[in-house]
Amino acid sequence: MTRDVVDIVLDAGIFGFESALESRNLSAQEFHRLQEDRVSVVDHDLHALVSRIGFEPGDGHRDWRNYVKLVVKDNVDVAGLATTSGYRSLKHEVARQDSDVVANWKRWGGAISGKANMDEFALGGSSSNQLFGSTNNPWFGDGTPGGSSGGPAVAVASGYCHVGIGTDTGGSIRNPAAWSGVTALKPSWTGLNLSGVHTQAWSLDTIGFLARSVEDCHRAWQICSGNTSGLSEHDRDIAAQTSTYHDSADLLKSSTIGVVDELFASLEGQIRSEASNWMGDLASRTNLVSVKIGLDDHAMTSCLVTIACEFATGWSEFIANNAPIAEGSQFLVDAGKAISAFEYINAQRYRHALSTYVLRQMRSLDVLLCPTTGIQPTPFGYDEMEFNSAEIGFGSPMWNYAARYTTPWSLTGQPVIAMPVQSRGDGPPLSMQLIGKPHEEDRLASIARAMEVIYRPEGYEIPSWVRDRIRAANPPHRDVKHGDCRDNR
Amino acid sequence: MAAVGNWILRESRKLSDWVIADLDPSQGPGLILGWNETTGENSANCGDDLPRLGGLQ
């Protein structure tokens, strides 16, 4: 198999970027132009970006870091650009300063290459809105990539950038990561400063990171936390534990992973058999312990009540004085205003009890494991998965098949990595969530990285539709044999 | 209100009923601010001030 040089360099990761360029005899400026050409070729059909920041090489860009690009979801401030949240009435609201996470990325030296599409106010799972339209799934060039952070997920999947920033309230970076075939890190709640972010539900929201590898998600989290002083040390720790297949196998062998049984039991059809086969292999490599949390409809209700009330508190007045939002979202706002304090507080009591119980169950475990989604996108049937325009109730596909797997860990505020673990032909790979203990992102990333080395030895898998489109546009000499750069890591 | 809104209200009442019946009141309200007992950290999730709630007007 041959791969495009942009993909090979991106596969080397943030901290392998410089050496990957050297090994391909490619300057950062040349890489930048190839990457920009790719965006021009592909994004006309995918609509991942809502704005692009063009820069000329040499215009203050001298260090390799100046070419490590970040794409930012359109509810996070980048100075000088509008932060619209996909809402028509915010089209001209230009941010006067960077959000905290973007400022930290720039301080480290990284570049911002654009803003990315999302559901209106992040209320949905299809990455479509009335202002910018729909983003398409990179695996098929059509249909939804999931949401609400579908824009940054597609940008990462298609090689526009090293990292995408999204927000996650009930699964909004993990769901599009699974449907676009990339990796996501949702840090612990309170782990990152949300200044300059349009929040949806402040007691659930986190900034999240999308990338092609666990390592890049973890490093982006460190950079955007402003935690760069210990970056080298953290990098060495993770690299030392998982640098080889053998080391990774050893780390998995010594780890104890709690399997959330009820979330595997609720899988149906092909994804159930694929997950079952993969789990059979995992059982031979690590210590799996069955865990029963007792998750039921109350977990999803608690999440939805919290979102409805907190979103309505924050935005209902502003929306009432401006353009109408999508009908399904307006129903959520109306419900949020009608739910009593008594019911809101009981939803928080449920969260408190769930968090306490889960952490008690994890005392002797390193991480928990469950699927990221109960449904995988196909070239057909997207209309059945629309969230904004359809019912939000338990009967809706989006709620039953996607949110069920992600909302519990939003309620508990735990860090989660959603990652591809097994190829599925022409569709995005099977995705699993690893759930860590609060503020133990480093330990979580170590185990996830080990799993990545074992189960994704070929690295990131570019969607075939994107690969074919790039190949049709690019001269053949840009293709190089797969693995050339990874060997030079 | 449309069916969706009514559904949320109905489910929130069912959740409240379950919490009242099944949870020990001595566990406290579990309110958001400061609820993270594991780390002992408070919920300073919003930087210097609350999120941009209506701050756009």
Side-chain angles (χ1 to χ4, degrees):
Chain A
M1 184 173 77
T2 58
R3 309 196 80 204
D4 187 84
V5 68
V6 171
D7 292 307
I8 290 173
V9 172
L10 288 173
D11 273 357
I14 295 172
F15 282 80
F17 183 52
E18 193 176 19
S19 61
L21 291 173
E22 283 173 11
S23 69
R24 302 314 313 163
N25 201 22
L26 196 68
S27 71
Q29 291 87 345
E30 286 173 313
F31 177 80
H32 164 68
R33 294 201 188 284
L34 287 172
Q35 203 170 31
E36 291 301 298
D37 288 348
R38 169 178 290 210
V39 177
S40 300
V41 167
V42 176
D43 206 54
H44 179 72
D45 293 298
L46 293 181
H47 306 130
L49 301 182
V50 298
S51 61
R52 288 173 72 177
I53 301 177
F55 61 83
E56 286 302 310
D59 183 22
H61 292 75
R62 295 181 180 83
D63 189 82
W64 63 270
R65 298 179 191 202
N66 303 153
Y67 296 90
V68 178
K69 296 174 187 171
L70 179 73
V71 162
V72 181
K73 187 176 178 180
D74 205 20
N75 59 351
V76 179
D77 283 350
V78 174
L81 296 180
T83 308
T84 73
S85 284
Y87 180 48
R88 288 173 290 169
S89 297
L90 292 175
K91 187 178 178 181
H92 301 296
E93 286 288 338
V94 176
R96 282 171 292 191
Q97 59 186 36
D98 288 323
S99 53
D100 193 69
V101 287
V102 167
N104 283 334
W105 179 263
K106 287 182 176 176
R107 202 169 292 124
W108 174 76
I112 309 293
S113 64
K115 301 291 290 290
N117 204 19
M118 57 183 286
D119 289 281
E120 188 179 58
F121 286 114
L123 293 170
S126 62
S127 297
S128 61
N129 60 62
Q130 301 175 72
L131 179 58
F132 295 115
S134 301
T135 296
N136 286 320
N137 191 298
W139 287 85
F140 312 114
D142 191 12
T144 178
S148 62
S149 307
V154 172
V156 169
S158 307
Y160 302 178
C161 55
H162 274 87
V163 179
I165 275 186
T167 53
D168 192 310
T169 305
S172 277
I173 64 157
R174 291 164 283 162
N175 170 256
W179 287 10
S180 301
V182 300
T183 301
L185 165 63
K186 180 191 90 69
S188 305
W189 186 70
T190 75
L192 284 165
N193 189 323
L194 294 189
S195 287
V197 179
H198 285 185
T199 57
Q200 183 197 88
W202 64 82
S203 75
L204 294 164
D205 288 339
T206 62
I207 285 283
F209 302 92
L210 296 139
R212 291 182 165 205
S213 67
V214 170
E215 210 170 349
D216 274 2
C217 281
H218 184 251
R219 284 170 173 167
W221 166 70
Q222 290 173 308
I223 291 166
C224 290
S225 303
N227 182 24
T228 49
S229 60
L231 200 58
S232 301
E233 194 178 329
H234 285 301
D235 293 340
R236 278 199 301 273
D237 286 348
I238 290 183
Q241 290 178 61
T242 60
S243 57
T244 68
Y245 186 94
H246 184 74
D247 291 342
S248 299
D250 280 351
L251 179 59
L252 279 187
K253 199 78 183 167
S254 64
S255 301
T256 305
I257 297 176
V259 179
V260 186
D261 276 343
E262 59 249 57
L263 293 180
F264 280 94
S266 62
L267 292 175
E268 296 172 6
Q270 190 180 350
I271 194 170
R272 182 185 178 95
S273 60
E274 289 169 349
S276 175
N277 291 338
W278 179 77
M279 287 294 289
D281 185 83
L282 183 67
S284 68
R285 300 178 185 276
T286 189
N287 307 301
L288 297 182
V289 175
S290 176
V291 174
K292 287 186 174 52
I293 306 287
L295 294 168
D296 54 20
D297 290 347
H298 292 320
M300 291 192 284
T301 300
S302 173
C303 191
L304 198 53
V305 165
T306 305
I307 291 171
C309 292
E310 295 183 5
F311 182 76
T313 304
W315 289 99
S316 62
E317 189 178 341
F318 181 73
I319 291 167
N321 293 318
N322 286 283
I325 57 174
E327 191 180 40
S329 302
Q330 186 59 51
F331 291 152
L332 198 74
V333 172
D334 293 341
K337 291 166 77 173
I339 292 169
S340 70
F342 174 80
E343 284 146 359
Y344 175 79
I345 289 174
N346 278 323
Q348 307 318 306
R349 291 183 66 197
Y350 175 87
R351 288 175 66 180
H352 180 79
L354 178 68
S355 304
T356 304
Y357 184 73
V358 169
L359 294 179
R360 200 175 293 150
Q361 293 288 91
M362 287 188 73
R363 274 181 187 152
S364 59
L365 304 173
D366 293 298
V367 293
L368 294 175
L369 173 75
C370 75
T372 309
T373 177
I375 192 167
Q376 292 280 11
T378 67
F380 312 104
Y382 286 105
D383 290 343
E384 296 170 10
M385 288 188 274
E386 286 297 325
F387 183 49
N388 273 333
S389 57
E391 287 188 2
I392 303 174
F394 290 134
S396 76
M398 186 64 206
W399 199 240
N400 274 342
Y401 294 118
R404 173 183 298 278
Y405 300 88
T406 53
T407 51
W409 326 117
S410 298
L411 291 170
T412 61
Q414 292 171 261
V416 184
I417 288 176
M419 57 186 291
V421 295
Q422 183 171 276
S423 295
R424 304 179 67 251
D426 277 342
L430 180 69
S431 179
M432 290 286 160
Q433 291 180 98
L434 284 175
I435 302 107
K437 295 173 186 172
H439 302 284
E440 288 192 6
E441 278 84 353
D442 292 341
R443 176 70 177 154
L444 171 66
S446 297
I447 295 172
R449 172 70 181 141
M451 207 171 271
E452 187 175 64
V453 169
I454 300 294
Y455 288 107
R456 307 282 294 167
E458 297 299 312
Y460 176 76
E461 191 177 348
I462 189 167
S464 54
W465 179 88
V466 175
R467 185 191 62 215
D468 294 345
R469 179 59 61 91
I470 293 163
R471 189 158 296 174
N474 280 0
H477 73 269
R478 284 299 179 191
D479 279 359
V480 292
K481 284 186 188 296
H482 176 71
D484 283 0
C485 267
R486 294 180 66 79
D487 293 340
N488 289 317
R489 272 181 163 186
Chain B
M1 196 184 303
V4 175
N6 287 330
W7 171 83
I8 297 171
L9 292 175
R10 188 171 64 247
E11 292 302 321
S12 72
R13 280 161 201 156
K14 278 164 61 178
L15 174 61
S16 268
D17 290 344
W18 182 86
V19 168
I20 297 294
D22 285 36
L23 288 188
D24 178 0
S26 69
Q27 284 193 341
L31 281 172
I32 300 157
L33 296 176
W35 68 273
N36 194 337
E37 296 172 352
T38 307
T39 63
E41 293 181 10
N42 67 27
S43 57
N45 194 30
C46 320
D48 299 329
D49 49 16
L50 284 171
R52 287 168 46 172
L53 304 176
L56 295 160
Q57 289 91 329

